[in-house]
Amino acid sequence: MNEFSRPWAGLDPLVHAPARLAILTVLSVVEEADFRYLLHATGLTKGNLSAHVGKLEGAGYLVVEKTFRGKIPLTICRLTPKGRDALEQYRQTMRRLLNVEDERGSNEGSRAVSGVVGAL
Amino acid sequence: MRTKTEQEIEHRIWRSWVEDGLPELVTGLGFFALAMVLWERGHAVGVWALALQYLQVGVILVLAFGARRLVQAAKWRVTYPRTGYVAYGRGGWRKREVWVAVAVGLVTVAGFAFVMAAESLSASASLMGLSAAMAAAFLYWAGRRGWERGFLYAVTAALAGPLAVMLSAGSVTARTFALQGGVHFVLIGVAQMAGGAWALFSYLRKYPLPLTPRRKSHE
């Protein structure tokens, strides 16, 4: 099997999920953000966001720092260099994948992949 | 290279920075203070005039470099408990915009100092120029970031210059320029404080303080 037979094989499943991709994309353009900001920015529920942040933290893509500001608990999330690399790798793979599909003239495939990207 | 999604997130972050109106309240206060300094300069003479001229430059510098800390401190009390804390990225986009803002600020200060020094220049024409430059700067930010209140400030800045000039038309002294400048900055400062206060009021109504676990347990 080569790249042309399974072009999506290079996609990182940890990054590919829409919720996790949204979290990574938001964090990629900021220095750091807290849990509440991510809730507003991604539109996820607390439980959902917590689960996805946990997965990304487990993979070493995020650093989660639990602290206090006065008496208020503060959970700050920051993208690690590994997470930044994973997101960049994902973007490159996706771009290559879309190009391959275009070259093949497979409209159906392109539409499916574009649909995934559009949903993000 | 930034994707459209990333650019949209950057715009959203910038909008979240101005959404609560706190930055405008602080800069509005700064413009108001500057107007007071100019007004004083218009009346003072001799050594005091020179001292106040330096103070005026100091106010502009504090406004340019210290306002962010003041806004950040206010945001920790008002905004972040409601809609969350976010720190801007250290990437090129922010650095570029900061450098553009600093360059524009320095050119404005230099122009202002030049007009103060050269009394032969037409005070009215200089003030009209400053007014137009400020209106253009507000228009740029309003258009670039989708900041609706920026258009209001642009219109205020555009009208403030001619209005201030109308108060003492024909005069060419630096003293008159200081008085006219005072009127000009008072109008912009008041417009910003009013816009900021309205935005803060709307923000507080839209995002009430979330219930803490302790408050929840009493229900």
Side-chain angles (χ1 to χ4, degrees):
Chain A
M1 283 208 184
N2 59 22
E3 188 189 356
F4 285 89
S5 60
R6 281 184 60 209
W8 48 85
L11 286 175
D12 184 346
L14 259 173
V15 183
H16 191 59
R20 289 194 288 272
L21 185 54
I23 295 166
L24 288 173
T25 312
V26 169
L27 288 176
S28 73
V29 290
V30 301
E31 194 181 323
E32 57 187 22
D34 79 342
F35 193 79
R36 188 168 296 282
Y37 182 82
L38 287 176
L39 272 177
H40 278 271
T42 59
L44 297 170
T45 61
K46 276 185 187 174
N48 216 345
L49 178 62
S50 184
H52 287 300
V53 165
K55 277 183 188 171
L56 291 168
E57 188 190 12
Y61 290 177
L62 295 187
V63 173
V64 179
E65 192 184 312
K66 292 189 187 233
T67 176
F68 279 88
R69 178 87 190 176
K71 288 179 182 175
I72 301 165
L74 195 66
T75 306
I76 293 176
C77 303
R78 212 173 288 127
L79 202 61
T80 61
K82 189 182 173 187
R84 202 170 288 279
D85 287 347
L87 184 63
E88 185 54 38
Q89 183 66 40
Y90 176 83
R91 279 168 58 175
Q92 283 175 8
T93 310
M94 205 58 156
R95 205 174 292 136
R96 198 174 58 237
L97 174 61
L98 288 168
N99 286 342
V100 167
E101 291 292 343
D102 282 346
E103 281 166 18
R104 280 175 171 180
S106 165
N107 293 333
E108 205 173 314
S110 289
R111 239 179 279 136
V113 177
S114 301
V116 173
V117 176
L120 303 177
Chain B
M1 203 176 81
R2 301 220 158 251
T3 62
K4 287 211 167 196
T5 313
E6 284 170 329
Q7 285 172 359
E8 177 53 37
I9 291 169
E10 284 176 2
H11 282 290
R12 243 188 274 169
I13 291 167
W14 196 86
R15 281 201 294 271
S16 78
W17 174 256
V18 294
E19 188 184 13
D20 55 16
L22 288 171
E24 287 141 80
L25 274 176
V26 171
T27 51
L29 270 173
F31 280 128
F32 194 80
L34 177 62
M36 291 300 110
V37 171
L38 284 170
W39 188 260
E40 281 299 312
R41 190 184 180 276
H43 287 93
V45 288
V47 181
W48 280 109
L50 188 68
L52 285 170
Q53 194 171 332
Y54 282 117
L55 184 62
Q56 171 192 316
V57 175
V59 168
I60 294 170
L61 289 176
V62 167
L63 187 71
F65 298 104
R68 188 177 164 82
R69 281 190 182 184
L70 204 61
V71 172
Q72 195 74 267
K75 277 180 179 283
W76 274 113
R77 298 190 73 86
V78 177
T79 313
Y80 298 150
R82 288 175 166 81
T83 48
Y85 157 75
V86 61
Y88 290 92
R90 288 179 182 145
W93 69 275
R94 195 192 145 214
K95 220 182 257 179
R96 258 198 327 272
E97 294 191 356
V98 166
W99 279 115
V100 167
V102 168
V104 168
L106 286 176
V107 168
T108 308
V109 169
F112 214 70
F114 179 70
V115 169
M116 286 296 180
E119 294 199 5
S120 61
L121 261 174
S122 162
S124 305
S126 310
L127 197 65
M128 297 287 251
L130 181 68
S131 179
M134 288 187 77
F138 281 127
L139 263 183
Y140 170 78
W141 284 106
R144 186 169 154 79
R145 298 293 190 190
W147 179 40
E148 292 89 356
R149 291 194 303 282
F151 292 109
L152 169 74
Y153 305 141
V155 171
T156 310
L159 293 177
L163 202 69
V165 167
M166 270 169 60
L167 293 176
S168 51
S171 181
V172 291
T173 63
R175 189 161 173 264
T176 310
F177 181 78
L179 290 173
Q180 288 177 341
V183 173
H184 176 254
F185 284 119
V186 152
L187 291 172
I188 296 174
V190 167
Q192 285 217 318
M193 283 193 286
W198 177 78
L200 181 62
F201 179 70
S202 309
Y203 173 84
L204 294 177
R205 280 188 66 181
K206 190 175 175 186
Y207 302 106
L209 208 57
L211 294 175
T212 60
R214 182 182 280 188
R215 284 172 70 190
K216 253 184 188 170
S217 67
H218 286 297
E219 287 176 351

